[in-house]
Amino acid sequence: MAKGKKKAVAESTTERLGRKAYEKELKNLHVELVKLQQWVVDQGLKVCIVFEGRDGAGKGGTIKAITERVSPRVFRVVALPAPTEREKTQMYGQRYLAHMPAAGEVVIFDRSWYNRAGVERVMGFCTEEQAHKFLAVTPLFEKMMVESGIILIKYWLEVSAEEQTRRLRDRIDDGRKIWKLSPMDLKSYTRWDDYTRARDEMFAATDTSWAPWFMARSEDKRRVRLNLISHLLKQIPYKDLTRDQKVALPRRGKLGKYKAASYPFRMIEERF
């Protein structure tokens, strides 16, 4: 067996991480994310995180794992819908500028301006000329972002064709997930090689020293979440400000001085 095939087999047969071990590690990482949050606010940092990847790669679940224990006022998730007719007439990328972070904010893009290099190009929503112009201009645009003080971190989640098929089928069969499956997902599913080619050209043009791409294998959703959060924490040096914050509950005072009104509250039925 060739060396490359051995590696592929090893990756595909890696034992999936158990829930108990995952939750233990995730709890520790959440503590660190809270520390990072406080540092971002204290120092007035501006952080922009871009998530890209194929349909079913696990972007949404990874973003949820990052944000579920931090403040939505600091960690903002931006997932823009298809552009309106008005937005289609604007300069490309204009609608993303309004969502860039201010001081003390972390903005996470669940898909971003890179739509033009991926889905728009592959599915014919832009011309090849427009795609090539985008790839030429984007490194300059991102350099401007970085020079303005934005910490820009770009992640690509990579998933195999087999795992993508399993996840998309799961969305069809699970009533809790059917909303995740759009008509565009089904159309995109038939164009694996076209997306691979578009991804490779995107990396070649926009993987720069000031805004590099980081790829994470997402065959195991739990592992990729832990690996990616661990990596993210290393990209932004921070200090633990919680050590200086000694918090204690104040005395509540005597209860019962006020008697609650006898109001006919509409109580929720306790079915469980």
Side-chain angles (χ1 to χ4, degrees):
M1 184 182 289
K3 184 177 180 181
K5 290 184 178 180
K6 286 183 179 180
K7 183 178 180 181
V9 170
E11 289 172 352
S12 63
T13 57
T14 300
E15 183 180 355
R16 294 188 181 273
L17 186 64
R19 178 174 295 276
K20 187 174 181 180
Y22 166 71
E23 291 180 348
K24 178 182 178 181
E25 294 297 333
L26 185 60
K27 181 178 179 181
N28 294 332
L29 291 173
H30 280 159
V31 171
E32 294 305 313
L33 282 170
V34 170
K35 295 176 184 178
L36 173 62
Q37 171 181 267
Q38 292 180 299
W39 182 253
V40 166
V41 173
D42 183 78
Q43 297 295 305
L45 301 182
K46 298 179 291 185
V47 183
C48 179
I49 307 171
V50 168
F51 276 90
E52 295 289 342
R54 300 179 192 270
D55 296 322
K59 297 181 293 298
T62 302
I63 292 171
K64 182 178 179 180
I66 293 172
T67 59
E68 63 182 342
R69 295 294 182 177
V70 291
S71 171
R73 291 185 292 274
V74 178
F75 280 73
R76 290 195 292 112
V77 179
V78 177
L80 298 183
T84 64
E85 290 304 313
R86 179 177 182 275
E87 288 173 334
K88 289 178 181 178
T89 68
Q90 294 177 339
M91 175 185 68
Y92 183 76
Q94 185 174 336
R95 66 189 190 131
Y96 295 101
L97 292 174
H99 300 279
M100 290 299 169
E105 292 182 342
V106 179
V107 173
I108 301 176
F109 281 96
D110 185 352
R111 293 200 181 280
S112 66
W113 47 94
Y114 280 101
N115 274 338
R116 173 135 296 183
V119 63
E120 289 190 18
R121 184 181 189 184
V122 173
M123 302 307 296
F125 296 133
C126 72
T127 66
E128 278 297 296
E129 181 183 5
Q130 288 174 323
H132 287 141
K133 285 183 177 179
F134 169 82
L135 293 176
V137 170
T138 296
L140 302 177
F141 167 66
E142 293 178 347
K143 190 168 188 178
M144 179 185 70
M145 289 174 58
V146 172
E147 290 181 348
S148 74
I150 293 176
I151 299 172
L152 177 60
I153 306 170
K154 303 185 300 190
Y155 288 117
W156 176 274
L157 270 59
E158 183 68 9
V159 66
S160 68
E162 295 76 17
E163 180 63 15
Q164 184 193 52
T165 297
R166 189 193 69 77
R167 292 178 185 178
L168 294 182
R169 282 178 175 166
D170 186 47
R171 291 180 183 181
I172 295 173
D173 298 334
D174 191 333
R176 300 168 299 175
K177 301 177 182 179
I178 189 66
W179 64 272
K180 294 183 177 182
L181 193 66
S182 69
M184 188 57 60
D185 293 337
L186 299 177
K187 292 180 182 178
S188 299
Y189 179 74
T190 64
R191 303 191 179 184
W192 179 271
D193 285 349
D194 292 335
Y195 271 99
T196 301
R197 185 179 298 108
R199 178 205 65 189
D200 291 348
E201 291 186 20
M202 181 189 77
F203 280 4
T206 63
D207 183 26
T208 60
S209 60
W210 56 88
W213 279 102
F214 298 103
M215 178 181 284
R217 297 188 183 279
S218 64
E219 293 298 287
D220 185 331
K221 291 182 179 181
R222 292 170 182 166
R223 290 186 188 278
V224 72
R225 292 168 190 172
L226 299 181
N227 290 332
L228 196 143
I229 295 174
S230 298
H231 182 273
L232 172 61
L233 290 167
K234 294 178 182 177
Q235 304 312 302
I236 310 170
Y238 62 95
K239 294 180 181 179
D240 181 7
L241 301 180
T242 61
R243 296 178 181 177
D244 303 326
Q245 299 173 350
K246 296 182 179 180
V247 180
L249 285 175
R251 294 185 62 182
R252 189 194 292 273
K254 188 176 181 180
L255 301 179
K257 289 184 177 181
Y258 170 75
K259 186 176 181 180
S262 179
Y263 187 83
F265 294 107
R266 295 175 179 85
M267 300 300 296
I268 298 297
E269 180 184 0
E270 296 182 356
R271 297 178 58 193
F272 304 99

